[in-house]
Amino acid sequence: MNHLIALDWGTSSFRAYLLDAAGSIVETRSRPWGIRQLPDGGFGGAFAAMVAGWPDCPVIAAGMVGSRNGWQEVPYLDIPAGVDELAAALVPVAAPGGRVVHLVPGLHNSRGPDVMRGEETQLVGALALRPPPQGEATVVLPGTHSKWVRVKEGVVTDFVTTMTGELFALLSRHSILAVEIKPDAPLDVDAFSRGVRTARASGAAGGVSRLFSTRALMLDGTLDASSVPDYLSGLLIGEEIRSTLADGRMDCTLPLRLVGDAALGARYRMAASDFSLTVSPAVEDTAAHGLWLIARRAHLHERTIHGVSP
């Protein structure tokens, strides 16, 4: 396989990578063409425009492109599952120019129930780039829908989703707690830590029961309006950690690994320290490596050469 085109195609964004035979990134392209913001021509048109001029080579894609509202729905795989199971379950979709896009399935957890789509590929890349010393770890993927994942020898054995990022967006923009958020404002560490400690101290009631404290602290002058977003962020992340520890499904005595945006990961590391947890620095941009590994395990180069689709 001289080259591979790897697509990370989500709800709001579309990123494409041209990889060489060793899995190194030759070129990256990005467009705001998530599955809800497609250009003229739909999925096929977006794909053709994104890969124009790139070699005729195998193509693999992960993310919401394989969801019910995506290019073609790809059934979830039940866990336990790892890279071998993902590679064996790729679904081919015909694309413009005679190409075939191989869609990666998401994962389903009957305990919950719970699902993930896209994060499984980030996990594959992250675990290969930084293997857990003992082969077992708890991995945290912060984001709109944060995931806590148990992995053993590269296999996902359990996971839990918390809607922390989406709750923050809704509360900070569309509730009585909404204030103007300045994108480049530095983190108010004191306000953030206060929010984390409030969630930690909420006990059986939970951090959600303390949400209105955000407004009360602002009204009595204890919390400046500009610090409200960081207090609320700390409260919600703190509640995510508190509830996960209380639930007991994630073994937090294992090495805790962060995968995703470094800035958001820094908040999680700060919050975790208030719970006496140690979390590794975040590993970023692992989707491309994960896609390359899945493609290699699926022998896409051989299937393309012999004209065989999975």
Side-chain angles (χ1 to χ4, degrees), residues 168 179-180 185-192 194-195 214 218 222-234 267:
F168 176 79
V179 296
E180 181 183 0
L187 171 65
D188 186 330
V189 175
D190 290 338
F192 179 82
R194 183 171 189 163
T214 309
M218 184 178 66
T222 305
L223 185 68
D224 189 81
S226 64
S227 299
V228 164
D230 289 326
Y231 175 82
L232 181 60
S233 173
R267 289 182 181 242

Side-chain angles (χ1 to χ4, degrees), residues 16 23 29 35 73 102 108 147 165 183 201 215 249 300 304 307:
R29 297 175 181 176
I35 66 168
E73 184 174 10
H102 300 88
H108 173 262
K147 309 284 184 183
R215 180 158 178 81
R249 282 169 58 183
L300 287 192
T304 300

Side-chain angles (χ1 to χ4, degrees), residues 57-253:
C57 60
V59 185
I60 187 170
M64 294 302 287
V65 66
S67 69
R68 186 165 299 174
N69 298 318
W71 199 342
Q72 179 172 314
E73 184 174 10
V74 180
Y76 290 104
L77 283 180
D78 287 322
I79 60 170
V83 65
D84 288 329
E85 290 76 16
L86 291 168
L90 298 180
V91 172
V93 176
R99 295 182 188 259
V100 176
V101 177
H102 300 88
L103 301 179
V104 178
L107 297 181
H108 173 262
N109 189 356
S110 59
R111 185 179 182 181
D114 211 330
V115 294
M116 68 167 68
R117 195 179 289 279
E119 293 91 351
E120 76 293 324
T121 301
Q122 295 178 55
L123 280 167
V124 169
L127 293 172
L129 291 169
R130 286 192 192 171
Q134 307 304 320
E136 192 170 3
T138 296
V139 182
V140 186
L141 298 97
T144 303
H145 300 152
S146 296
K147 309 284 184 183
W148 288 63
V149 187
R150 287 284 303 274
V151 293
K152 185 173 183 179
E153 304 301 336
V155 173
V156 175
T157 60
D158 194 11
F159 64 90
V160 176
T161 302
T162 306
M163 295 175 62
T164 302
E166 186 163 354
L167 283 173
F168 176 79
L170 290 169
L171 291 169
S172 61
R173 298 172 187 168
H174 305 294
S175 78
I176 197 172
L177 307 180
V179 296
E180 181 183 0
I181 299 178
K182 298 179 180 179
D184 299 324
L187 171 65
D188 186 330
V189 175
D190 290 338
F192 179 82
S193 296
R194 183 171 189 163
V196 173
R197 292 193 298 270
T198 299
R200 186 189 63 192
S202 64
V208 174
S209 69
R210 304 294 192 263
L211 282 174
F212 197 73
S213 67
T214 309
R215 180 158 178 81
L217 288 169
M218 184 178 66
L219 291 175
D220 69 16
T222 305
L223 185 68
D224 189 81
S226 64
S227 299
V228 164
D230 289 326
Y231 175 82
L232 181 60
S233 173
L235 182 62
L236 292 173
I237 293 174
E239 172 56 16
E240 178 183 328
I241 297 173
R242 186 208 66 80
S243 62
T244 300
L245 291 171
D247 184 44
R249 282 169 58 183
M250 297 294 114
D251 186 351
C252 293
T253 65

Side-chain angles (χ1 to χ4, degrees), residues 3-10 12-19 25-34 45-57 99 285 287-288 291:
H3 289 94
L4 174 74
I5 294 174
L7 309 178
D8 182 9
W9 204 337
S12 58
S13 64
F14 180 17
R15 183 171 292 182
Y17 306 90
L18 178 63
L19 308 177
I25 297 174
V26 177
E27 184 181 349
T28 301
R29 297 175 181 176
S30 182
R31 299 287 187 276
W33 294 340
F47 169 77
M50 185 67 93
V51 304
W54 279 359
D56 186 7
C57 60
R99 295 182 188 259
D285 300 325
L291 285 163

